[in-house]
Amino acid sequence: MTDKARSSTSTEQFQQAFWVVVPAAGVGERMLADRPKQYLPLAGKSVLEQTLNRLLSHPGIIGVVLVLAEDDSYWEQTELVTEKRILITRGGEQRFHSVLNGLKRLAEIIPKQDWVMVHDAARPCISHDDLNSLILATPKTKDGLVLGAPVRDTMKQVDSSAQVLSTLDRSCLWHAFTPQVFRLGELEAALTACLDKNLPVTDEASAMEYCGYHPQMVQGSEHNIKITRPKDLCLAEMILKTVAEEQE
Ligand code: CTP
Ligand code: MG
């Protein structure tokens, strides 16, 4: 089903309306640009606006907690600055500090047992089909969900000089994307535990795993790329153009 067809589904179809925490407080070092990558132009808007429009146009999403850098001077200039469904809070040193700040803001307005999504500002190609898959899988999970895809290439384990040690069993390996879905209180506690123990947190799921949870992978589109390096913008532009053409 296309995004257009899915978008015509109503909020009532979903058991819970989701809040999404969107970390957007990074500097985008690898992008080598003159501004944080979430404010670079993409298909007529900024990367961040594309991401937020994708989320807020889905009937299962009630609002966004947007996490911005302390010294962000770009947000005020965007068209979405007056959008009532976006709450703003401030970011931290690393991504997971920013996510934790977003969760704390959310805990002021919704119960801790509610499911929440976390989605990177730098993934503007998230589709409504993928959001549907996550929302419809939520009632069947206990420990949370991670959008992702099985790896396709042969995977090698190497030493520090890139010499091959072994070939890994590909059938057990997935790429992890965002959105990821967890109960607000459980994710906040897991991230806080990692912070206290100084453990590295690469995504929300890794913090949950540390606390003994086993989230479920949900297969999503490989078009849901993260804008990381300059060439990714061209790729994202092509993906968004293809989606727009499919909807015409
Ligand atoms: N992010 C954040 N707070 C941080 C670091 C990152 O909110 N302290 C956000 C980014 O804005 C991005 C998402 O987390 O939307 C994913 O992080 P990443 O792709 O690593 O973005 P950057 O950290 O900005 O990029 P880089 O690592 O190249 O500097
Ligand atoms: Mg980073």
Side-chain angles (χ1 to χ4, degrees):
M1 199 186 289
T2 64
D3 271 8
K4 194 179 180 184
R6 296 269 189 182
S7 298
S8 64
T9 49
S10 68
T11 314
E12 293 87 67
Q13 183 190 333
F14 305 111
Q15 290 184 1
Q16 189 203 312
F18 281 76
W19 277 90
V20 190
V21 172
V22 175
V27 290
E29 210 175 301
R30 289 168 286 179
M31 206 64 197
L32 308 168
D34 64 347
R35 68 191 77 177
K37 62 188 179 183
Q38 55 274 27
Y39 293 111
L40 290 172
L42 171 63
K45 296 186 185 299
S46 66
V47 169
L48 178 58
E49 286 170 298
Q50 293 286 3
T51 304
L52 293 171
N53 285 338
R54 283 302 185 110
L55 296 172
L56 290 170
S57 59
H58 190 284
I61 288 175
I62 193 170
V64 164
V65 173
L66 179 61
V67 190
L68 299 176
E70 203 78 58
D71 59 353
D72 186 306
S73 59
Y74 297 94
W75 173 248
E76 292 293 318
Q77 295 159 36
T78 68
E79 281 175 14
L80 287 173
V81 74
T82 54
E83 170 58 62
K84 300 264 186 306
R85 291 173 296 165
I86 300 177
L87 305 179
I88 307 290
T89 192
R90 292 296 158 195
E93 193 189 328
Q94 294 174 42
R95 180 184 174 280
F96 85 102
H97 298 112
S98 297
V99 171
L100 195 50
N101 288 354
L103 296 172
K104 285 180 178 156
R105 177 69 185 88
L106 210 42
E108 294 169 11
I109 56 167
I110 66 169
K112 294 244 181 177
Q113 69 269 22
D114 275 12
W115 294 101
V116 295
M117 283 190 196
V118 179
H119 182 62
D120 285 331
R123 290 188 188 267
C125 301
I126 179 65
S127 70
H128 282 194
D129 278 351
D130 283 354
L131 293 170
N132 283 333
S133 300
L134 288 167
I135 292 173
L136 295 173
T138 302
K140 294 176 228 149
T141 187
K142 197 167 62 66
D143 288 5
L145 304 168
V146 179
L147 193 70
V151 303
R152 288 200 233 167
D153 301 309
T154 300
M155 303 298 285
K156 300 292 185 192
Q157 184 161 28
V158 298
D159 65 15
S160 56
S161 62
Q163 195 159 23
V164 173
L165 296 174
S166 63
T167 301
L168 299 174
D169 177 6
R170 183 176 55 188
S171 68
C172 300
L173 294 170
W174 284 54
H175 297 279
F177 309 151
T178 69
Q180 301 192 0
V181 178
F182 297 103
R183 288 198 191 275
L184 170 58
E186 290 176 354
L187 180 57
E188 191 185 345
L191 289 173
T192 305
C194 290
L195 184 64
D196 291 347
K197 296 205 165 56
N198 213 9
L199 291 166
V201 179
T202 53
D203 65 349
E204 288 63 52
S206 61
M208 295 295 286
E209 292 153 31
Y210 168 75
C211 293
Y213 296 94
H214 297 283
Q216 175 69 44
M217 296 300 302
V218 172
Q219 188 156 359
S221 165
E222 284 167 24
H223 285 172
N224 180 18
I225 60 166
K226 184 162 70 105
I227 309 278
T228 306
R229 297 196 167 78
K231 66 173 172 38
D232 297 331
L233 265 184
C234 302
L235 190 54
E237 188 116 19
M238 274 165 50
I239 292 167
L240 292 181
K241 193 164 163 268
T242 309
V243 171
E245 281 168 6
E246 277 172 10
Q247 291 179 354
E248 276 167 13

